[in-house]
Every structure is written in C-alpha cells, then in structure tokens.
Amino acid sequence: MKPFNLSYVRFRKIALSVAVLFAFACGPSFDPHEFMSFFQPEVANTPAEYGRYIFSPQLYADTELGVAYADTLVIDENVRAWAAYTGGKFSETVVAKALYKEEPEAVKTFTSALGKTHTPAVAYLKFAWSTDDGQANPWVTDIPPLDSTKLPQQLEEAKATYAITTDAFLKERYAFQAVKLASEAGDYKQTQQLYDKLIKPLPNKTFISDWALCRRAGASLVLNDTARAIFEFAQVFDRCPSRRRAAETSLRRSGIKFREDALQYAKTDRERAAVYALCAIQPGQDGLDLLKALVHLAPKNPLIELVMAREINRNEYYFFTSGQAYTNYTLLARPDSTAFEGRKTEAVTYFEKLREFALESAENKALGDGAFWYAASAYLAYLGNDYKAAQTHLDQAAALPTPNNHLKSQIAVQRMLLLAAQTESITPEAEQQLIGYLETFDRTTNFRVNNAFVDVCRRFAATYQHKTESKSGWLSSCSRSTEEPVNGPGLAKAYLLTMLTTQAHPDTYFASTADPHSVEDTIAPAVVRQTIAFANQTKPTDFDKRLLTLADLSNDYLNLLLGRRLMMEHHYAEAADAFGRVNPKTWTAEPFAIYFRKNPFSVKMPRLYTATPKTVPKAPGNKNGLEPGSVNIPAEPVANAFTPVTFARRMAELEKQAQTATGDKAAELYYELGCGAWNLSWYGNAWLLVRSYWSGGEPPVYDVPTDPTAKQKRFDVLMKMDYYTTSHSRNYFEKSVNAAKTPLLADRSAYMAARCEANAFSLQKSIEQVRNGYVYEEDSTFVKNMRTLRKTKYARFYKAFINNHTHTLFNQEMIRECAMYKDFLAFGEELNE
C-alpha cells in the first residue's frame, strides 16, 4: 500500500530528467530556476506545501533532487488514520514502516496486535499489499511489471468484501481498492461507475474517498471528458494533501488549461474556487482573470497571494528575457521564439493590469494582508518608473504589521532599488543609505535579492562615473544630467561597487553575478591607481571605510592588478614599480610558484650550432651561387631567474637600450623584447603577469552576445587584443629584422614574426567558425575559405620569411633540429598553389 500513484510516478521520473539536463545545460547558472526577477515569491503568505507552484522557467519550482526516497519514511493522512484506528497503540513511525515499507518486524508487530481487536483489518491489509505494485521509490527504474491476470479476481474480491463489510473505516478502503483496480485494468468506464456506486453513497467520506476521486478524474481524462476531469482533480487538489501533487500534475503534464464548462459540476463556491485555483497555477497562460474570480469566490483561499506573486514573476520572465536567450537556453523543446516575443510585447500592458489589481486588493478588507498587496503595488510602480507611487505604497506596506520576514526583506530590497533609480547625483545622504543596504544584502543566497544587489551596484557605479543608465519601465524614460568630469574617488567607488557584483555567497553561483576576470581584464590602470589612492587616504569617510571593507581588496591585490594591467599595455617600467609594492612572498607562493617557473624570455627556440662552416644555396638572384657560413644560437635557459619585478624591469631596460642601439645590437635587443612580449600572451609562459587565469578554452569566441551587432563588436575587440594576436611581439621582431646586419639574426626574428602572424590568423579563424554557424574546422568549404583568408590577409610576414630567409643555414639547421618547423614550412607550398 504505497502512497504514490503509479502513473504519476513514471511522469515524475521524466520531469526529473528534464530538470537535471537543464541544470547542466542552460547557461551559466547552477540553479535551473534562476531568471531575472526582483520580486520574491516567498513574500506571499502561502503554506510551504504549495511552494513548488511558484513560477519557474522549469516544470516546477522544485526538482526533488537529492531526495532519498528509498530511505524516506512517509507519514501522511493514511498513516495517521491507521494510528488512530488502533487507538493510538502504535506510533506513526511503526505504522508507516508496516504500511509503506512493509518491514517484516513492523508488519508482524502491527498485524499481530490488530488481529486481537480488528481481525478484518488484517485481512484488508493483506489484500491491499497483494494489489500493490510493490514500488514506493519513484526513481527506481526496474519496477516489476503489473500482473494484470490477477486484476479481475482482485477487483471482484474488493467489491464482494465491500458489500459485506460493516466497518466504515475498512468499507471506504475496499471501495477505493475497487476503483483503483478497475483503473489499473484499463476499464475507465467501470472506474467511474464504481466510484459513483461505492464511494458516493458513503455517509462519511475521508481522504480515502478523494484518493478514489483522483482515480475517477484520471478515468474522465482518458475518456476525453476533460471538463469533468478538471473539476474532479480540482476537488482532490483542494481537499487532499496526499494526492495534491498527483492531481495537479495530471493537468500540467497534459497542458490542460481552464475551461468554463468545468464549473457546471460545482455546487458550492468552494468547489468553483477550487477549479479557479488549480487552473491559475498552470503554466503557459496569464492567470490574472482566474485570480480575480478566485478572490471573488474565496478571498481566504491559501493560493491567492501565491498566484499573484506567480503572475508578477512570470511577467518578469517575459519582460527581462530576450527571445534569443529564451531559445538558446531552452534546449529541449526549442520553443517558438516568435511566440515568446509576441508575449513579451504584452508584458508592459500586463504589468499595468497587475498593478491595478494589486491596488484594489490592498484595500480589500476580505483579503487582509495589506502589506503584501501594497508591496506588490510598489514593485509594479517601480517597474513603470512611477517612483513617487512606489515610495508611497512601500511606506504603506511597511506601516502594516507582518510576521513574514521575506516580506520585510522585500520591502528593504525595493527601497534599495528605488534609491538607485532616483539618485542622479551622489550625496553623503545617498551614500549612507546605500552602504546600509549593501551590507544587509551582500553575499545573499537568494538569486532575486542578488539580482537587485547587482543592479543597484551597477547603477550607482554608473552614477559615480556620470553615465546614463537606461530604464526599463513603461510609463516614462529617465536620463541623467549632462555628463561631468569624473573625479578620482568617484572612479574608485565605481570600481569597488563593480567588484561587489562579482562576490556572490561562496555557496552559490548566480547568473547575474559578474565574472571578476572580465572586470580585471578591462579595468584601466588609471582606475586602479585611483582605487589604491582611495584605499590609502588619510581621512576616509564612514562610507569609504565600509565600502572598502565590503569590497575586501587588499593593497597587494590592487598593486598586482595594476602591474598586470600595465604589463598588458607594455608599460614595463610602471609595471615594475607596481609589482615592487606587492609583498615579495607573493612570488614564492601559489600561483606564481607553479605557473611562473620558466624563463620568460624562452620561446622554445632550439640550439642551432655548426662546428665547421657550411655552404647553402643562396637566395634566387644571387650570382655567387653558394654562401659559406656557420650557425651558433645557444640553447635558451629553461629555469626562471626572474620575479615579476625583475622581469618587468628587464623589459623596460631592453626598450630603453633598443631606442639608441643600431645594427646587430638593436636586433638582439628587439629579439629579446619580442620573446618577452610573446610570453606575456596566451601562447607564452608568463601569462600570469598579465592575467590571473589561463584556459585551454580561449580565446573566448563562443562567449559572445546573440545580437549580430553586439557580436561583431565583441569580435572586433578580440581581434585588437594583443594577448591573443601577439601583434606587439611581432612589431619587436619586425624591428629586429630591419636592424640586423647578420643574416642569422634576421632569419631568427623573421621566423618569430611569422609565428606571431599565424597567431593572429588562428584567432580570426576561430571567429570565422562561430560567424559561420559553428562550422566544423574540417569542413571543405571552410578550409578553402580560410586558406584564401590567410593568403590575402595573414601571410605578409610568412611570405617575407619564405622568400628571404629559407636559403640559409638557419633554415637548414631548423629543419634538422625542430620537428614543428617542418609544419611551419608546409604552408609555403600552399602559397604557390
């Protein structure tokens, strides 16, 4: 006698699979239910058992992940009823172990005692266990097949025993068994008939009758009597907690929405309200009209506030989410984004309707809980940029008593959002209000609160920089005054607020949280300098101290960041000064002790040496024919004798010396500079001096916006990033080639310049793969197009090397010493095709 409906069990397994796939496949968030929303559904005064019906982009707002059903002891209405039936002689735990787990010891204890006082009850339990499918765990896949050959006999036994049983407790259960067995036999017409014949006449009905009604509703659905099925499932949902999920899922799994004709079966307002309530929580529809009807019929229905919160959240989903993102992240169904966009255009109007209803409800004495309705009204006014009304309604909500801590939090969140929306210029008063909110909501575990926290930080950061933040309301637009010069402290505060958007709670990861690496990689050195000055000011304000505490950025971190940003821009002397202010212990600890261990001037150039002079064919056009000579390029030191400070200083010294040097001396200096700059790239071994991370998945050509214009802008930025193109290194090598008097030095630098050019082509090729719909690299058309692209745009330095530097001892020795060099030369054959 298990508490799960078999048909519901199988559906839930499918639903779980969907939820798991979404959790791992739909974007950056680890929470599949996360979306852009600021209104917490927990502000609704709704019993916790209804929590799964709040709005979620997924099937339900819970996934039941981690629930160990095999070890879960179910104590429901049935267990409590049996415990009461035995006169309280057994605990609910013992009863549950006997009824649902069928533990031998518990069964023996329970049936032995029952046999002394309720012998017919023992017979019923044995019959019920024999008709059960034997499966209480909904996630186990090896469910034994139902032995349908026994069903007719068991059904007849249930009906016969029902007829002679005088015990009302058992009689109702035999009636349920008869209805259940008819349903499992697939005789849905008889299922309905048996319910009407056996259950309806019972003078005193309990939840067991509702279990039977759930079976009858399922039969009605199979027989295409959808209106009646809606009505019957609604009554089960309303009255029977132990079958509430099964009743609701029966509609949701079939995509069934409200039907007016379902109301014809209702005899009371409660029955009609039950229909509206169940239908109002179904996905894929606007439920405001159903909510209005529910309020009219049953203003104390526990789902009213949940439905209102659900409608706000659902409309937020359309309002804030782009159609392209909706299509990209909903991987399973690939929904019609056109339909999504159609509903999205209605979001503004629907918010207006919700706001009007919320205000009416706030004054509805029958509803009560005015704090919830005023808070909802305030939020909807905020979304419409009606900040005066939003402030008024928030004050009204705060003035009313409420035991709901989530509602109190929501009121504070909305005050924080209002502060950011209304602050056009920074004042000490605004800062004091802001810092209090930031301290309250920093490191939250609620994604909606984090959304608000991040939004407020970004808005204030923009205000400090005198930038205009666009509004997303429907009643008005807002723009700030003419931009003014930004002072140093303003830049520092803007940066610190931006860094706060990267610091979610350590136990969570939210989609709205910014990537700290993205901030580090784009911050201007001037801003970091201003932040260092701000952090070390002699007379900080209370706000300054508290903001710095929240940001928790040490001087070591800031100076290391400044050094990296300056190295990225190849300002080596300034970078050395910044690195010099970092605690020296940093260089001997992780990550530098692990990832900065190789010589930052080494580019894997092999040792090239010939003990005796050799002759090689001269370049075409040379009348002398042969060129004697020797090669002696020492092996590169492998071990790293540098710290970030000394390496940056060495690069600065090389640049200074190269400016005045000539000939081979200049060539040597520029070659060394080129090697150092190479290693400051993604391809090098000193990347840690310009970035805090490295990934084999770079360059980030796949993490681009879906909008074509924004995507192209991102690609343009990538192609200008020396970290991936090594263009700065190539410039050094080119200068080395031009300065060299000795052919060997020119050959070596020309080879490295061509390698840098190949890096730029590699980035462009990756971009073209994405631009062409993530085409396979081996696609014949793509291969042909990329060959043409390289020949026309990325072969200047390669051609120069092939034409001028391959009739040399350098070329001859490289072929002998370096296996990869042969691959490098292979493209030369393609140039001549």
Side-chain angles (χ1 to χ4, degrees):
M1 188 188 301
K2 305 300 183 288
F4 297 102
N5 181 313
L6 184 58
S7 61
Y8 175 45
V9 164
R10 289 174 178 162
F11 175 69
R12 288 204 297 182
K13 287 158 66 176
I14 296 172
L16 176 69
S17 300
V18 172
V20 170
L21 178 58
F22 269 62
F24 290 99
C26 73
S29 175
F30 293 145
D31 182 357
H33 306 290
E34 182 181 354
F35 62 102
M36 182 50 63
S37 166
F38 301 127
F39 192 76
Q40 302 173 69
E42 296 86 358
V43 303
N45 286 312
T46 306
E49 64 192 275
Y50 295 102
R52 71 191 321 242
Y53 305 119
I54 65 177
F55 175 78
S56 167
Q58 307 304 318
L59 186 65
Y60 286 104
D62 65 356
T63 58
E64 298 186 335
L65 294 177
V67 178
Y69 274 88
D71 300 322
T72 299
L73 191 65
V74 177
I75 297 178
D76 60 7
E77 301 155 300
N78 194 37
V79 169
R80 289 188 286 271
W82 276 97
Y85 181 70
T86 61
K89 295 179 181 179
F90 298 95
S91 68
E92 293 176 351
T93 299
V94 171
V95 175
K97 288 181 178 180
L99 290 183
Y100 295 149
K101 286 189 170 292
E102 298 177 33
E103 293 184 2
E105 188 64 32
V107 169
K108 181 179 179 181
T109 301
F110 190 53
T111 55
S112 296
L114 273 179
K116 298 176 182 178
T117 56
H118 299 81
T119 303
V122 176
Y124 169 76
L125 287 174
K126 292 179 179 179
F127 174 73
W129 283 324
S130 71
T131 65
D132 190 59
D133 57 41
Q135 182 54 262
N137 186 345
W139 312 131
V140 174
T141 57
D142 56 344
I143 300 175
L146 198 64
D147 187 354
S148 58
T149 61
K150 296 181 179 179
L151 289 178
Q153 178 184 346
Q154 291 172 335
L155 176 56
E156 291 304 316
E157 183 178 349
K159 291 192 289 185
T161 312
Y162 168 87
I164 62 175
T165 298
T166 58
D167 185 323
F169 183 85
L170 300 178
K171 193 176 189 70
E172 186 180 27
R173 281 163 172 73
Y174 275 114
F176 162 70
Q177 291 293 341
V179 174
K180 182 192 80 170
L181 290 166
S183 174
E184 290 179 348
D187 191 343
Y188 300 111
K189 193 63 179 177
Q190 185 178 197
T191 301
Q192 293 178 318
Q193 293 170 346
L194 286 173
Y195 177 88
D196 296 342
K197 181 180 179 181
L198 305 182
I199 295 292
K200 278 190 175 181
L202 295 175
N204 297 308
K205 299 180 181 64
T206 70
F207 63 91
I208 291 295
S209 293
D210 288 328
W211 286 18
L213 180 58
C214 196
R215 292 282 184 170
R216 191 196 194 287
S220 298
L221 194 59
V222 173
L223 296 173
N224 294 319
D225 192 352
T226 306
R228 180 179 285 277
I230 292 173
F231 171 77
E232 291 170 339
F233 279 130
Q235 307 317 307
V236 174
F237 182 87
D238 180 56
R239 300 191 303 244
C240 186
S242 55
R243 284 294 183 270
R244 183 164 287 142
R245 288 192 175 195
E248 191 280 334
T249 300
S250 296
L251 294 193
R252 188 173 296 231
R253 66 184 294 188
S254 302
I256 295 173
K257 305 297 189 294
F258 172 75
R259 293 191 181 187
E260 191 77 30
D261 52 353
L263 298 173
Q264 65 181 300
Y265 303 104
K267 295 181 176 60
T268 66
D269 281 350
R270 176 174 177 174
E271 290 179 342
R272 280 183 280 273
V275 173
Y276 284 116
L278 179 59
C279 292
I281 60 174
Q282 298 308 303
Q285 63 177 6
D286 292 336
L288 180 56
D289 289 339
L290 301 176
L291 175 59
K292 289 179 178 179
L294 179 60
V295 168
H296 175 72
L297 291 169
K300 298 301 181 184
N301 187 287
L303 284 176
I304 286 176
E305 292 186 11
L306 181 146
V307 174
M308 181 61 183
R310 177 185 172 82
E311 291 304 296
I312 293 175
N313 291 155
R314 181 173 179 272
N315 210 49
E316 283 180 304
Y317 181 62
Y318 286 103
F319 187 63
F320 291 119
T321 306
S322 71
Q324 186 63 51
Y326 175 72
T327 301
N328 287 349
Y329 295 147
T330 311
L331 300 179
L332 290 186
R334 286 292 178 186
D336 181 356
S337 59
T338 302
F340 180 89
E341 288 291 353
R343 175 58 182 79
K344 183 177 176 66
T345 60
E346 301 171 3
V348 166
T349 303
Y350 197 62
F351 270 140
E352 291 176 334
K353 294 177 180 178
L354 289 172
R355 180 184 175 188
E356 181 181 352
F357 177 73
L359 279 174
E360 293 174 359
S361 299
E363 302 299 326
N364 188 336
K365 303 302 181 184
L367 282 174
D369 196 16
F372 166 81
W373 294 103
Y374 278 125
S377 301
Y379 178 64
L380 294 166
Y382 161 78
L383 290 178
N385 294 339
D386 190 352
Y387 302 138
K388 182 177 180 181
Q391 188 65 60
T392 298
H393 298 323
L394 270 184
D395 292 341
Q396 290 172 309
L400 296 172
T402 177
N404 189 329
N405 289 328
H406 289 288
L407 180 54
K408 295 175 183 177
S409 170
Q410 181 66 30
I411 292 172
V413 166
Q414 289 178 214
R415 289 195 188 282
M416 177 177 68
L417 289 169
L418 269 177
L419 175 66
Q422 294 179 288
T423 300
E424 296 190 8
S425 59
I426 304 297
T427 65
E429 292 77 19
E431 287 186 329
Q432 282 302 112
Q433 292 182 65
L434 172 65
I435 198 64
Y437 290 129
L438 297 183
E439 290 170 338
T440 299
F441 299 117
D442 182 43
R443 307 298 180 93
T444 179
T445 58
N446 184 305
F447 77 78
R448 289 180 173 87
V449 175
N450 189 73
N451 287 343
F453 180 88
V454 169
D455 182 76
V456 167
C457 286
R458 287 173 177 166
R459 284 176 179 265
F460 265 94
T463 303
Y464 275 113
Q465 298 174 81
H466 307 302
K467 292 182 179 179
T468 299
E469 276 288 295
S470 61
K471 304 298 181 181
S472 56
W474 67 84
L475 296 180
S476 63
S477 61
C478 177
S479 61
R480 302 193 187 282
S481 55
T482 304
E483 294 189 5
E484 305 169 7
V486 183
N487 59 31
L491 283 175
K493 293 175 186 179
Y495 168 67
L496 293 172
L497 287 169
T498 301
M499 289 303 294
L500 287 183
T501 69
T502 71
Q503 300 177 355
H505 192 280
D507 294 335
T508 60
Y509 178 82
F510 296 123
S512 58
T513 301
D515 178 4
H517 300 313
S518 297
V519 179
E520 291 176 349
D521 294 344
T522 56
I523 191 71
V527 176
V528 185
R529 284 195 178 98
Q530 291 294 346
T531 306
I532 293 172
F534 179 79
N536 292 280
Q537 60 183 304
T538 56
K539 294 182 179 180
T541 66
D542 178 67
F543 173 81
D544 297 343
K545 295 176 184 176
R546 292 161 72 181
L547 180 60
L548 286 165
T549 299
L550 273 181
D552 193 26
L553 301 179
S554 67
N555 274 316
D556 277 348
Y557 171 85
L558 291 171
N559 280 296
L560 177 56
L561 176 60
L562 176 59
R564 281 173 167 156
R565 297 305 298 151
L566 290 167
M567 289 293 279
M568 182 68 85
E569 296 182 1
H570 303 283
H571 299 315
Y572 305 121
E574 295 173 79
D577 291 340
F579 285 145
R581 292 190 291 272
V582 178
N583 188 332
K585 293 181 180 179
T586 303
W587 316 133
T588 58
E590 294 185 8
F592 288 91
I594 298 176
Y595 298 109
F596 188 55
R597 298 175 62 182
K598 296 181 179 180
N599 174 19
F601 290 103
S602 169
V603 291
K604 298 182 179 180
M605 181 70 71
R607 182 194 181 195
L608 303 180
Y609 176 74
T610 57
T612 58
K614 295 184 177 181
T615 58
V616 295
K618 285 189 175 182
N622 191 311
K623 297 180 179 179
N624 296 327
L626 297 178
E627 177 183 14
S630 62
V631 174
N632 186 10
I633 296 179
E636 296 175 329
V638 176
N640 184 11
F642 295 91
T643 67
V645 179
T646 58
F647 174 66
R649 285 176 181 166
R650 176 58 181 162
M651 291 291 286
E653 291 168 359
L654 290 170
E655 271 205 324
K656 185 176 181 180
Q657 293 171 15
Q659 289 173 0
T660 56
T662 58
D664 285 350
K665 179 62 176 177
E668 289 278 14
L669 292 169
Y670 279 122
Y671 175 79
E672 194 171 357
L673 278 167
C675 292
W678 171 284
N679 282 316
L680 291 173
S681 75
W682 182 79
Y683 297 92
N685 58 40
W687 55 265
L688 192 56
L689 274 61
V690 293
R691 287 195 167 184
S692 61
Y693 66 98
W694 186 94
S695 169
E698 296 179 74
V701 294
Y702 298 104
D703 182 22
V704 293
T706 54
D707 176 72
T709 302
K711 180 187 291 187
Q712 183 56 49
K713 287 183 178 178
R714 181 73 61 84
F715 288 154
D716 292 342
V717 169
L718 278 174
M719 285 306 302
K720 294 177 182 177
M721 291 184 68
D722 179 60
Y723 184 70
Y724 298 116
T725 65
T726 57
S727 58
H728 206 83
S729 176
R730 189 202 66 210
N731 289 339
Y732 284 137
F733 290 128
E734 185 178 13
K735 289 180 179 179
S736 176
V737 172
N738 294 335
K741 301 300 183 182
T742 302
L744 176 62
L745 299 181
D747 296 341
R748 183 179 60 175
S749 294
Y751 165 63
M752 289 303 299
R755 283 179 64 185
C756 291
E757 183 179 53
N759 293 339
F761 169 71
S762 179
L763 174 60
Q764 185 70 65
K765 180 180 177 181
S766 297
I767 289 174
E768 294 306 319
Q769 279 186 272
V770 176
R771 201 197 307 276
N772 287 275
Y774 302 93
V775 64
Y776 285 110
E777 189 174 3
E778 298 82 6
D779 180 84
S780 59
T781 302
F782 181 74
V783 169
K784 180 179 179 181
N785 291 338
M786 290 303 98
R787 184 182 295 120
T788 301
L789 176 65
R790 185 170 185 188
K791 286 181 180 180
T792 56
K793 192 174 180 181
Y794 293 96
R796 173 191 161 202
F797 292 91
Y798 189 91
K799 289 177 181 178
F801 180 81
I802 293 294
N803 294 334
N804 304 319
H805 303 280
T806 52
H807 297 275
T808 63
L809 285 172
F810 173 84
N811 179 66
Q812 194 176 76
E813 291 301 304
M814 282 291 288
I815 291 174
R816 185 169 64 88
E817 296 290 341
C818 182
M820 293 181 62
Y821 185 70
K822 296 177 182 179
D823 295 331
F824 169 80
L825 292 176
F827 180 61
E829 300 175 3
E830 298 180 9
L831 287 175
N832 298 321
E833 293 179 1

